[in-house]
Amino acid sequence: MNKNDYTIRLEEKSDYRAVENLVRESFWNVYKPGCSEHFVIHVLRDDPAFIRELDFVMEQGGSLIGQNMFMKTIIEADDGRVIDVLTMGPIGITPQLKRQGYGKALLDYSLKKATEMGFGAVLFEGNIGFYGKSGFDYASKFGIRYHDLPEDADASFFLCKELIPGYLDGITGVYQTPQGYYVSDEDVEEFDKDFPPKEKLKLPGQIFG
Ligand SMILES: CC(C)(COP(=O)(O)OP(=O)(O)OC[C@H]1O[C@@H](n2cnc3c(N)ncnc32)[C@H](O)[C@@H]1OP(=O)(O)O)[C@@H](O)C(=O)NCCC(=O)NCCS
């Protein structure tokens, strides 16, 4: 990856379909046969919690090669407070360019912009192997629990990064995923019909059936 061969800008309405296609390509057969993330971003853009100023696309030579977005959400603190935080994603890089540093570049740029806007912390489900390199740690280390997860369950998928150092000091509580991320398989199937046909495959490593 050449540091100067890409640009990052805000997504525009005219990008929507191309970005949905990019996300579909990026996530297809990665976590399950097919994927739902292209429909998720379609829905999230109309959600009041969506942050237009933190909705990014990455381009190279005039082509879209990546995207990332953020949503507002909350931690319900054990002492009764409601703590405003961010969640992030989907984030995706076009399949041909994965593992060349573009994802990290887009992630770090987006986090810098979120920090500049004054947000305190970002929490989401992800792989520590990728996000750990950008300063994320297990949310459990910050005293934050994932909603609806039994206490003895493995929560290593649930990650956190403070954008304001100390933002979560003295806070324990439960993180809530914005409802917009939950889509039905039927709605995804219907939405997917407008995209080019693609084969759904069961592959090793997929975490959802
Ligand atoms: C996840 C994704 C955005 C990462 O972008 P990328 O451009 O492929 O990743 P980068 O090349 O910037 O990787 C940065 C570092 O994270 C590591 N990394 C990247 N993806 C990883 C993964 N899935 N598991 C473990 N480590 C990973 C890389 O090894 C790299 O470290 P290194 O530079 O020391 O080798 C991209 O692979 C993608 O679109 N994947 C499919 C969709 C997806 O899973 N999105 C995230 C959902 S939580």
Side-chain angles (χ1 to χ4, degrees), residues 26-27 31 91-93 99-101 103-104 127 130-131 133:
S26 172
F27 280 80
Y31 295 103
I91 176 172
I93 295 294
R99 299 293 188 117
Q100 295 179 38
K104 185 173 187 320
N127 182 328
F130 174 55
Y131 296 105
K133 295 193 161 124

Side-chain angles (χ1 to χ4, degrees), residues 2 32 72 110 125 131 145-146:
N2 174 340
K32 63 177 188 182
K72 290 180 192 168
S110 317
E125 307 86 343
Y131 296 105
R145 308 182 299 280
Y146 193 76

Side-chain angles (χ1 to χ4, degrees), residues 3-96:
K3 274 197 166 170
N4 300 316
D5 73 353
Y6 67 86
T7 52
I8 298 172
R9 62 167 174 83
L10 290 175
E11 186 186 31
E12 293 169 15
K13 285 211 162 78
S14 55
D15 299 315
Y16 280 5
R17 194 59 172 189
V19 170
E20 286 160 9
N21 202 47
L22 168 80
V23 168
R24 183 175 183 254
E25 292 292 326
S26 172
F27 280 80
W28 195 259
N29 291 336
V30 172
Y31 295 103
K32 63 177 188 182
C35 72
S36 54
E37 282 78 3
H38 52 315
F39 182 57
V40 169
I41 65 165
H42 184 77
V43 171
L44 290 184
R45 293 193 196 100
D46 291 328
D47 192 299
F50 172 63
I51 307 170
R52 203 159 292 286
E53 300 84 352
L54 294 176
D55 175 31
F56 299 108
V57 293
M58 189 176 219
E59 284 182 317
Q60 185 187 59
S63 302
L64 289 167
I65 62 162
Q67 63 64 235
N68 190 23
M69 62 193 284
F70 292 80
M71 303 279 290
K72 290 180 192 168
T73 191
I74 55 163
I75 292 167
E76 291 172 353
D78 295 328
D79 62 10
R81 284 181 290 166
V82 173
I83 310 297
D84 292 324
V85 292
L86 291 179
T87 189
M88 198 196 85
I91 176 172
I93 295 294
T94 195
Q96 305 85 305

Side-chain angles (χ1 to χ4, degrees), residues 163-180:
L163 302 179
I164 299 173
Y167 184 74
L168 296 174
D169 281 1
I171 295 165
T172 60
V174 178
Y175 160 87
Q176 296 297 342
T177 300
Q179 284 306 309

